[in-house]
Amino acid sequence: MRRTAARIAFATVSATATAVLLSACGSDKPADTGRHADPAALAWVDKVCSGVATGSAKLTQPPAFDPNNPQGAKSAMVGFLNSLTVALDDMAGGIRNAGVPPVPDGQSAVDKATTTLDETKSKVSATLAKMQDAKVTDQASLQKVVADADGSMSGLSEPEGPIKHLRANPELDLAFAESPTCRQVYGGSA
């Protein structure tokens, strides 16, 4: 079956959102076996991973749409972008609600991560507004809306997302690597 431009674009947006949300606790780097994370840092990271899981759960079922129904396809993409903004809010809220990480320079890491999330949400919200206002009547107009959305969403495919700012802190990185919650939610690569 031939994939339409709308499906490809939707897959791109979906993959971007999933990468931002699901890669939060993953790492290819093994934990340092010589030392272990502070229990308070582990508890903080567990809260963050739980918040990320809440946000990403909202995106587990991307909506299906009929490529022969351009208005329906547009509505499905608008719905997905709405879900993405809520998921980003949940993720930022999960980080903020965890409080200040009990590690040196922890607040700085949180500030950088939440700023990245806020910037991402702003870009998604702008794309959503343009898509909502766009007039879609046929395949050509749908493809234009999709191309515009792809252009607006460029730059959001950074694989580590905002969590890279948290993991840049050595103490938090160690806690992410050892977190039982992150391993349970995201598999053994946490």
Side-chain angles (χ1 to χ4, degrees):
M1 184 168 144
R2 190 171 163 242
R3 290 177 66 168
T4 65
R7 286 187 188 267
I8 292 168
F10 187 75
T12 300
V13 171
S14 180
T16 297
T18 302
V20 167
L21 295 170
L22 294 181
S23 70
C25 292
S27 173
D28 294 333
K29 188 166 72 172
D32 178 358
T33 57
R35 63 185 196 114
H36 294 281
D38 178 76
L42 273 171
W44 186 87
V45 167
D46 285 346
K47 287 180 188 176
V48 169
C49 286
S50 294
V52 170
T54 299
S56 64
K58 291 179 167 75
L59 301 175
T60 58
Q61 290 292 339
F65 57 90
D66 179 0
N68 297 318
N69 178 355
Q71 184 59 43
K74 174 193 160 189
S75 294
M77 288 187 278
V78 165
F80 179 78
L81 290 175
N82 272 318
S83 295
L84 180 54
T85 60
V86 171
L88 289 166
D89 276 341
D90 287 350
M91 189 174 174
I95 293 171
R96 288 182 181 109
N97 291 338
V100 177
V103 298
D105 297 321
Q107 185 61 52
S108 173
V110 165
D111 292 344
K112 289 175 184 174
T114 55
T115 296
T116 298
L117 283 167
D118 292 342
E119 288 169 355
T120 300
K121 182 183 173 204
S122 177
K123 199 172 247 196
V124 171
S125 295
T127 302
L128 173 62
K130 286 179 190 176
M131 190 172 282
Q132 286 172 321
D133 291 342
K135 184 175 180 180
V136 173
T137 57
D138 57 17
Q139 285 291 332
S141 58
L142 176 63
Q143 288 177 359
K144 178 166 179 5
V145 167
V146 168
D148 290 347
D150 282 347
S152 296
M153 299 285 281
S154 67
L156 294 183
S157 61
E158 186 176 311
E160 292 182 67
I163 298 303
K164 77 175 185 174
H165 299 298
L166 298 176
R167 293 199 75 151
N169 180 295
E171 298 299 319
L172 290 179
D173 187 48
L174 186 58
F176 272 100
E178 293 181 5
S179 167
T181 300
C182 291
R183 279 195 304 272
Q184 179 183 3
V185 173
Y186 303 101
S189 66

